[in-house]
Amino acid sequence: MEGDDEEVKQRRVVEARARNISHNVRCTECGSQSIEDSQADIAILLRKLIRDEIQSGKTDKEIYKKLEEDYGETVLYAPKFDMQTAALWLSPLLVAGGAAGVWAYSKHKQRTNVHIMALNLIRGVPLSPKEKETMLDLLTPPPSPRAVPSSWWKRWLGQ
């Protein structure tokens, strides 16, 4: 009885490993499906190959390496990080860094322009109408929320 339980347990481990590997391998015929989800002939053969390799005692890394050697790097959903795929992996960081740089530059430029306008104002250099409008927008405090009575206050006072 113990032998049967051990055999069932071993079969479940093999099946779980095979499914895990199959979910990470792209079907070469379908392209957009994993071999676990595909019903193409090549997917069925690859699933059998994976199970046979697991039963022969190979590790997951060895199986991935064999699949990559036989079918190319595109068969794996997660390409490895090397010099050829560095741009693919680092492109989100480059885009975010570029956007942050543009934002910081625009904030710096805006702040610098305000300082230049303030210095020109102190020196007695006349401001253009656009500069006057910008300075008034920056120097005028926002309206106080308490300056306008609320509607219930107006009703209570009878206005």
Side-chain angles (χ1 to χ4, degrees), residues 2 27 36 57 63 69 83 94 104 112 120 123 136 148 157:
E2 259 182 52
C27 176
E36 184 66 29
I63 295 171
E69 287 171 359
M83 289 308 289
L94 294 173
T112 305
N120 286 343
R123 292 179 187 147
L136 284 174
V148 179
L157 289 175

Side-chain angles (χ1 to χ4, degrees), residues 115-157:
H115 289 115
I116 291 171
M117 286 189 292
L119 286 172
N120 286 343
L121 193 60
I122 291 170
R123 292 179 187 147
V125 177
L127 298 175
S128 70
K130 176 80 173 147
E131 291 173 334
K132 283 182 185 177
E133 184 180 331
T134 302
M135 288 297 282
L136 284 174
D137 285 344
L138 290 171
L139 297 174
T140 305
S144 173
R146 295 204 171 260
V148 179
S150 65
S151 60
W152 71 270
W153 184 251
K154 287 180 184 177
R155 283 193 303 248
W156 187 72
L157 289 175

Side-chain angles (χ1 to χ4, degrees), residues 1-157:
M1 193 71 167
E2 259 182 52
D4 290 340
D5 290 341
E6 190 63 34
E7 186 179 318
V8 169
K9 186 176 179 182
Q10 183 65 24
R11 256 190 274 138
R12 285 184 182 170
V13 168
V14 167
E15 185 64 25
R17 281 185 60 202
R19 284 184 181 270
N20 184 36
I21 294 172
S22 296
H23 279 294
N24 294 318
V25 176
R26 185 185 321 253
C27 176
T28 56
E29 192 173 310
C30 306
S32 62
Q33 286 183 316
S34 69
I35 61 170
E36 184 66 29
D37 300 328
S38 176
Q39 293 303 315
D41 291 340
I42 188 74
I44 294 168
L45 290 172
L46 284 173
R47 287 195 301 260
K48 181 171 178 5
L49 172 83
I50 289 170
R51 281 176 178 78
D52 292 344
E53 295 288 327
I54 291 172
Q55 288 172 349
S56 70
K58 293 203 175 170
T59 65
D60 292 0
K61 281 188 176 184
E62 291 172 334
I63 295 171
Y64 284 128
K65 186 170 177 108
K66 178 177 175 34
L67 289 170
E68 186 178 350
E69 287 171 359
D70 292 348
Y71 297 98
E73 190 176 327
T74 57
V75 78
L76 302 178
Y77 272 118
K80 61 185 176 191
F81 185 81
D82 60 7
M83 289 308 289
Q84 292 178 341
T85 59
L88 172 72
W89 286 102
L90 298 176
S91 61
L93 294 174
L94 294 173
V95 169
V102 168
W103 177 80
Y105 177 74
S106 68
K107 287 295 183 184
H108 171 71
K109 186 176 176 185
Q110 180 184 18
R111 191 175 311 133
T112 305
N113 288 343
V114 170
H115 289 115
I116 291 171
M117 286 189 292
L119 286 172
N120 286 343
L121 193 60
I122 291 170
R123 292 179 187 147
V125 177
L127 298 175
S128 70
K130 176 80 173 147
E131 291 173 334
K132 283 182 185 177
E133 184 180 331
T134 302
M135 288 297 282
L136 284 174
D137 285 344
L138 290 171
L139 297 174
T140 305
S144 173
R146 295 204 171 260
V148 179
S150 65
S151 60
W152 71 270
W153 184 251
K154 287 180 184 177
R155 283 193 303 248
W156 187 72
L157 289 175

